[in-house]
């Protein structure tokens, strides 16, 4: 199962929003309260894991455009932020039951979840 994830923080009003796209369906949450972009990206990845678990996926590919989050989830970069460490721990716990988990980085223009969020806020 492939799931695209993206999150961001909107300044007016101060709130985070996240999106997950999988199998042609878009799942959006914008009721997450205030926070920064990194927190929103982690929450988007966790939401993608939640959707994969609910679908009964044995293996999953999570695709995002936030290199920091992808590299931390892969264990290649340390998570030094005390506010983000609980999200990394939650991710590891939530994915422990999968047979295989892959996390891939793509450019913003190829992230279907990022495109879904951008469509909500035309310039």
């Amino acid at each position: 199962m492939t799931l695209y994830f993206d999150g961001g923080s909107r300044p007016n009003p101060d709130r985070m929003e996240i999106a997950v796209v999988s199998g042609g369906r878009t799942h959006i949450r914008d009721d997450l309260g205030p926070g920064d972009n990194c927190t929103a990206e982690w929450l988007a990845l966790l939401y993608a894991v939640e959707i994969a678990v609910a679908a009964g996926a044995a293996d999953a590919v999570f695709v995002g455009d936030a290199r920091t989050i992808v590299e931390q989830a892969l264990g290649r970069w340390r998570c030094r932020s005390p506010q983000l460490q609980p999200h990394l721990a939650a991710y590891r716990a939530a994915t422990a039951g999968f047979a295989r988990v892959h996390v891939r980085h793509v450019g913003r223009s190829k992230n279907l979840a990022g495109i879904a969020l951008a469509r909500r806020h035309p310039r």
Side-chain angles (χ1 to χ4, degrees):
M1 175 175 214
T2 301
L3 301 102
Y4 292 81
F5 68 93
D6 194 40
S9 180
R10 305 293 304 172
N12 292 321
D14 186 17
R15 65 180 172 79
M16 294 179 290
E17 61 185 8
I18 61 176
V20 175
V21 176
S22 180
R25 274 193 76 202
T26 302
H27 308 266
I28 293 179
R29 293 186 63 195
D30 57 8
D31 56 349
L32 303 172
D36 62 19
N37 285 328
C38 282
T39 300
E41 292 283 357
W42 269 113
L43 293 176
L45 176 54
L46 290 169
Y47 188 37
V49 172
E50 180 183 322
I51 291 168
V53 168
D59 58 83
V61 178
F62 301 106
V63 182
D65 60 29
R67 180 159 308 272
T68 299
I69 304 320
V70 169
E71 295 295 338
Q72 288 175 349
L74 289 169
R76 292 190 246 194
W77 292 3
R78 281 189 42 213
C79 181
R80 293 184 174 95
S81 170
Q83 81 180 38
L84 299 179
Q85 288 171 352
H87 300 306
L88 175 58
Y91 167 78
R92 288 181 176 156
T95 57
F98 285 93
R100 286 184 305 217
V101 175
H102 302 280
V103 185
R104 279 189 27 224
H105 177 264
V106 294
R108 179 124 174 103
S109 66
K110 296 189 189 295
N111 184 353
L112 301 180
I115 293 166
L117 284 180
R119 285 186 181 151
R120 299 182 78 205
H121 307 286
R123 292 185 187 237

